[in-house]
């Protein structure tokens, strides 16, 4: 074929692959490279490869649709020739029919007309390539943009790139157009249809957005088509073979258990005003003018509009897939993303601390100093026959991985005496265990938890992977609403089965291993919505036991807590703004000593006894105090790194002499002390401090505020009674 736009690039690829024709699929609409060819192309083209592939596929698709026109001409010509042959056979000499004049035959005239149409079409293809002939649009006083046709942005031919009725596309191409009116009854229905067409035509664009921003490990498995849940069976037989002793001695037991994964119903609800849509439109046009090399599928207005919102949507999904703790939100309330599903950390917690389906390694806490030996110990506690298998990953926080790299760098330099690792170890696997891979989880924070499993044992679940991108657009008065419903989840394909005394050893089965430290931070709470009952019931998937009341109209006292397991810690945090006094009641099920008042905002901590009754461990009478930000100093020197409020605590009077670690633009406030006969004075310090007059701070309420400009701390306010 004669390439209109990509001829030189295709020639480059053919030379690199040592081919004469570009490999394409059966529909002749897409380039189809072998994995080796694709790797070679990516190495040569780098990050431009995806744009090149998309452009080639676009031209192939256009050429294929044009070829359908040629095929129609060919079919029409073949049918006419067949009819002519039949007529000539019927009028052959000896048949008695009158022989027609060839030049005047209607069929001959039809064939001649078809031939002329074919010739014209062929010449057009040879001379101009395929598709609509574009023209170069000049922007900003002569700047050349991409090629556009007379009817479509980017000469794409797609409905959402048409100029007709779409002022945003005209202005993006540099054509004169009116301002888009997104409050108008015309623009919004048109935009609604464009979004639907864009998503249907270019689903891979949205998938690429997900891949670019989601950041979930590529090693994990994925399964779609899950309507509610998916179940895998675990079969563990004991040994059945024995020596022949001539008798009948049956042996062998088997245990069958199931592992379940589920998807959670989620939604996206967005309301846009006309003003907001105009802001997005302006950003898009500016983006286009400054990025001539971007592929049109990424810069078309509806794609840009969707992309801006999906950036947040896919970030939400990534966070929920790791940190999610499921809480069913009442219909009338707005729920949190982190409570839309159970994430990976939630599964670790549930299977280790609630179901006890695997036994954790009780080896204390990892530290910066012991992290290398700690990881080595965990690996070596895995049974040898499994430890030597391939595909293991070690899940940990990014901070802990940095600990490992820093500490292992010291060992690596000493042991191997090479340049690599003298400052930081750069391997992706622990020292001496290449079949294990570090899998840092950016959202796994505030924890020393480490989990080990096979990468393919972690599986993300969807009903349809691109379902999140199928937005519906509606109008309500002046507002434009966009919404989508989808299903997502994550699971372990197999967890394991904890060994019980007296069972065959083969019944002990684990596919996950971890240390025993808390999976979540002690500050992690989930909202306790009004259950319309005096009993709080823990039942999968709702099982996280650290609760916080968030509704002012929480409706009743709490008299029982069920679904807990022995040894479990349960906490309930109240709310100061409760509209009515509510209590956790002291009774036979909740052994508190006295009722706990929820409207104090304090926290009640309980432990589950062996009889499943809950006993109070501690209680606070108010909300936790905010973290201390003030800093007490006792000398004439102040180090301002890390805080901005300073209180003098020295035993004798002093005068400010030095301020350390300041930066321009920072303000600090210095308070005095109530100690009898003790003052702290802030006076001018040459080249460092300038004040209106000496500030003698003789009481704890007295203060002076200083702000640094060009290296000098200037007085900006004071209060001295």
């Amino acid at each position: 074929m004669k390439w209109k736009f990509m001829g030189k690039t295709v020639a480059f690829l053919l030379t690199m692959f040592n081919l004469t024709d570009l490999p394409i699929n059966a529909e002749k609409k897409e380039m189809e490279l072998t994995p080796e060819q694709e790797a070679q192309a990516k190495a040569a083209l780098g990050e431009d490869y995806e744009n090149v592939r998309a452009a080639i596929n676009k031209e192939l698709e256009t050429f294929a649709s044009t070829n359908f026109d040629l095929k129609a001409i060919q079919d029409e010509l073949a049918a006419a020739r067949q009819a002519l042959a039949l007529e000539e056979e019927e009028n052959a000499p000896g048949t008695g029919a009158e022989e027609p004049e060839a030049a005047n035959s209607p069929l001959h005239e039809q064939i001649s007309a078809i031939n002329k149409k074919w010739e014209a079409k062929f010449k057009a293809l040879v001379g101009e390539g395929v598709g609509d002939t574009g023209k170069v649009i000049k922007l900003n006083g002569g700047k050349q943009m991409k090629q556009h046709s007379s009817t479509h942005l980017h000469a794409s031919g797609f409905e959402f790139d048409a100029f007709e009725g779409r002022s945003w596309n005209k202005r993006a191409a540099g054509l004169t157009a009116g301002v888009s009116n997104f409050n108008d009854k015309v623009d919004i229905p048109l935009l609604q249809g464009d979004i639907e067409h864009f998503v249907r035509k270019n689903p891979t664009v949205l998938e690429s957005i997900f891949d670019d921003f989601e950041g979930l490990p590529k090693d994990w498995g994925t399964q779609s088509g899950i309507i509610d849940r998916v179940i895998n069976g675990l079969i563990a037989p004991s040994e059945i073979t024995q020596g022949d002793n001539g008798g009948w001695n049956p042996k062998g037991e088997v245990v069958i258990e199931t592992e379940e994964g589920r998807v959670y119903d989620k939604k996206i609800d967005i309301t846009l005003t006309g003003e907001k849509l105009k802001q997005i439109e302006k950003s898009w046009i500016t983006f286009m003018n400054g990025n001539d090399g971007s592929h049109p599928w990424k810069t078309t207005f509806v794609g840009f509009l969707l992309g801006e919102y999906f950036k947040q949507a896919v970030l939400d999904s990534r966070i929920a897939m790791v940190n999610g703790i499921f809480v069913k939100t009442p219909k009338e309330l707005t729920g949190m993303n982190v409570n839309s599903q159970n994430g990976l950390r939630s599964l670790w917690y549930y299977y280790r601390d609630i179901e006890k389906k695997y036994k954790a390694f009780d080896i204390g806490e990892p530290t910066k100093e012991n992290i290398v030996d700690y990881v080595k110990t965990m690996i070596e506690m895995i049974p040898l026959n499994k430890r030597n298998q391939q595909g293991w990953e070690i899940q940990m926080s990014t901070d802990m991985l940095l600990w490992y790299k820093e500490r292992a760098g010291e060992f690596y330099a000493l042991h191997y005496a090479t340049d690599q690792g003298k400052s930081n170890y750069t391997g992706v696997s622990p020292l001496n265990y290449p079949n294990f891979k570090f899998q840092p989880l950016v959202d796994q924070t505030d924890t020393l938890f480490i989990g080990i499993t096979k990468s393919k044992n972690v599986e993300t679940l969807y009903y349809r992977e691109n379902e999140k991108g199928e937005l519906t657009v509606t109008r309500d008065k002046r507002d434009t609403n966009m919404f989508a419903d989808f299903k997502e989840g994550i699971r372990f394909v197999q967890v394991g089965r904890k060994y019980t005394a007296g069972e065959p050893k083969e019944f002990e089965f684990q596919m996950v291993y971890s240390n025993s430290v808390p999976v979540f931070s002690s500050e992690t709470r989930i909202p306790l919505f009004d259950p319309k009952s005096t009993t709080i019931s823990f039942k999968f998937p709702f099982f996280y036991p650290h609760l916080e009341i968030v509704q002012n109209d929480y409706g009743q006292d709490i008299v029982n807590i069920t679904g807990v397991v022995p040894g479990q810690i349960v906490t309930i945090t109240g709310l100061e703004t409760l509209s009515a006094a509510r209590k956790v009641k002291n009774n036979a099920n909740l052994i508190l000593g006295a009722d706990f008042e929820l409207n104090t905002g304090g926290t009640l901590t309980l432990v589950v006894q062996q009889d499943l009754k809950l006993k109070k461990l501690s209680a606070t009478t108010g909300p936790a105090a905010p973290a201390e930000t003030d800093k007490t100093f006792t000398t004439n020197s102040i180090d301002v790194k890390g805080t901005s409020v300073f209180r003098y605590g020295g035993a004798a009077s002093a005068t400010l002499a030095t301020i350390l670690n300041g930066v321009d633009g920072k303000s600090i406030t210095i308070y005095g002390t109530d100690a009898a006969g003790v003052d702290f004075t802030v006076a001018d310090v040459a080249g460092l401090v300038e004040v209106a007059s000496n500030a003698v701070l003789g009481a704890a309420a007295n203060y002076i505020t200083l702000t640094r400009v060009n290296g000098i701390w200037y007085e900006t306010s004071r209060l001295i009674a």
Side-chain angles (χ1 to χ4, degrees):
M1 63 176 282
K2 181 176 176 61
W3 295 87
K4 183 176 181 180
F5 299 112
M6 303 301 295
K8 291 183 179 179
T9 303
V10 171
F12 166 75
L13 293 174
L14 293 177
T15 301
M16 183 169 61
F17 299 148
N18 194 25
L19 298 174
T20 56
D21 294 310
L22 189 70
I24 58 178
N25 64 6
E27 291 80 15
K28 302 186 183 303
K29 292 185 179 181
E30 290 188 1
M31 178 172 64
E32 193 170 77
L33 303 181
T34 65
E36 294 77 13
Q37 289 170 339
E38 186 167 24
Q40 194 176 359
K42 286 181 178 179
L45 297 173
E47 55 187 35
D48 290 329
Y49 169 73
E50 291 298 334
N51 288 337
V52 167
R53 181 177 63 83
I56 290 175
N57 288 344
K58 174 69 181 88
E59 195 156 348
L60 282 170
E61 182 180 356
T62 307
F63 184 76
S65 64
T66 306
N67 268 352
F68 289 143
D69 295 338
L70 300 182
K71 182 66 165 55
I73 295 173
Q74 287 178 313
D75 292 343
E76 189 178 351
L77 182 59
R81 285 174 172 164
Q82 184 177 6
L84 178 61
L86 180 60
E87 180 180 292
E88 289 174 345
E89 181 180 342
E90 290 175 349
N91 294 329
T95 60
E98 183 180 349
E99 185 173 348
E101 295 182 15
N104 297 326
S105 166
L107 283 173
H108 279 94
E109 292 177 0
Q110 182 181 357
I111 291 172
S112 177
I114 294 173
N115 279 330
K116 288 180 180 179
K117 185 162 52 174
W118 173 275
E119 183 178 359
K121 188 72 175 178
F122 182 75
K123 285 183 177 179
L125 286 173
V126 171
E128 300 180 10
V130 296
D132 187 13
T133 302
K135 62 178 180 179
V136 175
I137 303 295
K138 293 187 177 181
L139 280 180
N140 303 330
K143 178 181 177 182
Q144 286 191 342
M145 280 292 291
K146 310 172 185 70
Q147 283 191 328
H148 307 283
S149 73
S150 58
T151 59
H152 286 78
L153 191 67
H154 313 301
S156 71
F158 295 148
E159 181 180 347
F160 47 80
D161 280 332
F163 292 142
E164 183 177 359
R166 297 168 175 83
S167 55
W168 50 85
N169 284 343
K170 290 182 181 179
R171 294 205 312 282
L175 301 174
T176 302
V179 177
S180 303
N181 182 7
F182 290 112
N183 291 323
D184 186 71
K185 294 181 180 180
V186 176
D187 282 351
I188 292 301
L190 194 64
L191 185 61
Q192 179 178 351
D194 284 354
I195 289 174
E196 181 181 354
H197 183 61
F198 178 86
V199 172
R200 186 173 64 249
K201 185 71 178 176
N202 305 307
T204 56
V205 174
L206 301 185
E207 287 306 305
S208 71
I209 292 173
F210 297 159
D211 290 342
D212 289 346
F213 292 94
E214 188 161 355
L216 288 175
K218 304 300 182 185
D219 308 306
W220 291 355
T222 295
Q223 188 172 168
S224 58
I226 311 302
I227 296 175
D228 179 50
R229 64 193 69 197
V230 59
I231 296 176
N232 281 76
L234 164 64
I235 301 177
S238 66
E239 68 173 24
I240 60 172
T241 304
Q242 59 182 307
D244 187 358
N245 60 6
W248 176 252
N249 307 99
K251 65 179 292 189
E253 300 178 45
V254 66
V255 63
I256 301 176
E257 292 190 358
T258 59
E259 307 281 10
E260 175 188 290
R262 65 172 61 199
V263 291
Y264 297 81
D265 292 314
K266 297 188 179 185
K267 65 175 183 174
I268 296 172
D269 292 341
I270 302 169
T271 295
L272 298 169
T273 61
E275 180 182 7
K276 183 64 177 178
L277 281 170
K278 284 184 179 181
Q279 291 175 356
I280 296 174
E281 181 192 30
K282 290 176 183 177
S283 299
W284 169 66
I285 291 176
T286 302
F287 173 76
M288 287 191 61
N289 290 346
N291 293 272
D292 295 356
S294 297
H295 190 274
W297 285 359
K298 294 292 181 67
T299 58
T300 209
F301 177 54
V302 292
F304 185 83
L305 174 66
L306 293 174
E308 290 304 292
Y309 281 100
F310 287 149
K311 287 177 185 178
Q312 185 60 50
V314 297
L315 174 62
D316 290 346
S317 288
R318 189 197 73 196
I319 293 172
M321 287 287 199
V322 175
N323 287 341
I325 304 175
F326 178 72
V327 179
K328 182 66 174 177
T329 305
K331 185 176 181 179
E332 65 274 9
L333 299 178
T334 301
M336 300 288 291
N337 166 61
V338 76
N339 300 134
S340 64
Q341 70 169 93
N342 282 328
L344 190 65
R345 295 173 72 182
S346 192
L347 297 178
W348 280 112
Y349 172 84
Y350 179 72
Y351 288 122
R352 187 192 71 180
D353 297 343
I354 306 301
E355 283 288 294
K356 303 187 185 301
K357 290 196 108 177
Y358 76 93
K359 184 178 180 181
F361 300 141
D362 190 10
I363 55 176
E365 292 186 347
T367 65
K368 289 184 179 181
E369 293 71 30
N370 73 6
I371 185 66
V372 173
D373 289 335
Y374 193 94
V375 170
K376 181 174 183 288
T377 299
M378 287 188 67
I379 292 174
E380 292 181 349
M381 291 180 75
I382 298 173
L384 183 62
N385 64 318
K386 291 189 176 181
R387 186 195 319 159
N388 292 330
Q389 295 174 1
Q390 299 297 314
W392 293 99
E393 70 175 35
I394 303 173
Q395 298 171 7
M396 59 171 57
S397 70
T398 52
D399 286 343
M400 293 177 67
L401 180 57
L402 182 59
W403 293 359
Y404 190 97
K405 289 184 174 183
E406 290 176 348
R407 187 62 173 159
E410 301 173 10
F411 294 134
Y412 196 81
L414 292 172
H415 292 174
Y416 295 96
T418 67
D419 290 337
Q420 181 184 16
K422 285 189 175 179
S423 57
N424 265 7
Y425 175 66
T426 59
V428 298
S429 300
L431 293 172
N432 302 320
Y433 290 99
N435 57 323
F436 286 76
K437 174 184 178 180
F438 288 121
Q439 194 70 272
L441 300 177
V442 66
D443 300 302
Q444 183 168 302
T445 57
D446 299 324
T447 180
L448 298 176
F449 177 80
I450 299 176
I452 301 178
T453 189
K454 295 283 188 73
S455 294
K456 293 304 180 184
N457 195 42
V458 181
E459 195 170 67
T460 54
L461 306 174
Y462 307 91
Y463 178 54
R464 292 204 314 274
E465 287 190 65
N466 62 347
E467 195 175 21
K468 189 185 305 179
E470 297 175 357
L471 283 172
T472 299
V473 182
T474 64
R475 297 193 67 204
D476 180 20
K477 298 177 182 177
R478 294 183 180 273
D479 292 336
T480 301
N481 301 310
M482 303 171 67
F483 63 89
D485 294 277
F486 56 100
K487 296 175 184 284
E488 285 183 336
I490 193 169
R491 70 159 180 162
F492 291 121
V493 178
Q494 291 186 328
V495 177
R497 185 178 185 276
K498 188 176 178 182
Y499 176 73
T500 301
E503 292 182 331
K505 185 63 176 175
E506 293 84 355
F507 285 7
E508 182 179 21
F509 177 84
Q510 281 189 224
M511 279 298 294
V512 298
Y513 303 87
S514 76
N515 56 2
S516 59
V517 304
V519 178
F520 291 101
S521 157
S522 60
E523 302 302 316
T524 302
R525 298 275 192 277
I526 62 171
L528 174 58
F529 296 115
D530 190 347
K532 311 297 183 185
S533 168
T534 58
T535 296
I536 297 174
S537 178
F538 290 101
K539 183 179 180 182
F540 188 82
F542 175 79
F543 56 83
Y544 190 69
H546 301 293
L547 313 172
E548 181 175 10
I549 293 177
V550 295
Q551 290 175 264
N552 291 332
D553 59 347
Y554 191 88
Q556 52 274 313
D557 295 336
I558 299 170
V559 301
N560 198 9
I561 299 174
T562 63
V564 289
V565 297
Q568 189 174 8
I569 302 298
V570 177
T571 63
I572 302 175
T573 299
L575 181 65
E576 288 182 292
T577 57
L578 280 174
S579 57
R582 302 298 178 199
K583 302 176 181 179
V584 181
K585 301 290 289 184
N586 176 47
N587 56 44
N589 298 314
L590 304 176
I591 306 169
L592 312 180
D595 293 347
F596 176 76
E597 304 286 344
L598 288 169
N599 57 1
T600 65
T603 298
L604 173 66
T605 302
L606 308 164
V607 63
V608 181
Q609 301 181 143
Q610 289 297 318
D611 59 4
L612 299 184
K613 295 179 180 180
L614 285 80
K615 183 177 181 179
K616 182 178 82 171
L617 292 179
S618 65
T620 62
T621 57
E628 178 64 43
T629 58
D630 297 0
K631 184 176 182 179
T632 300
F633 66 102
T634 58
T635 67
N636 61 359
S637 176
I638 297 177
D639 186 342
V640 301
K641 181 174 61 178
T643 191
S644 300
V645 179
F646 301 88
R647 300 184 183 277
Y648 184 62
S653 297
T655 300
L656 179 66
T658 306
I659 301 177
L660 304 174
N661 294 313
V663 295
D664 281 357
K666 180 167 184 173
S667 294
I668 62 172
T669 301
I670 304 171
Y671 286 87
T673 176
D674 285 333
V678 177
D679 298 331
F680 187 79
T681 302
V682 179
D684 287 345
V685 178
L688 180 66
V689 179
E690 290 189 17
V691 294
S693 61
N694 290 353
V696 180
L697 308 176
N702 295 345
Y703 70 82
I704 185 172
T705 298
L706 307 174
T707 301
R708 179 171 146 158
V709 180
N710 295 326
I712 304 295
W713 292 92
Y714 294 95
E715 176 184 345
T716 53
S717 66
R718 70 166 71 188
L719 174 63
I720 300 177

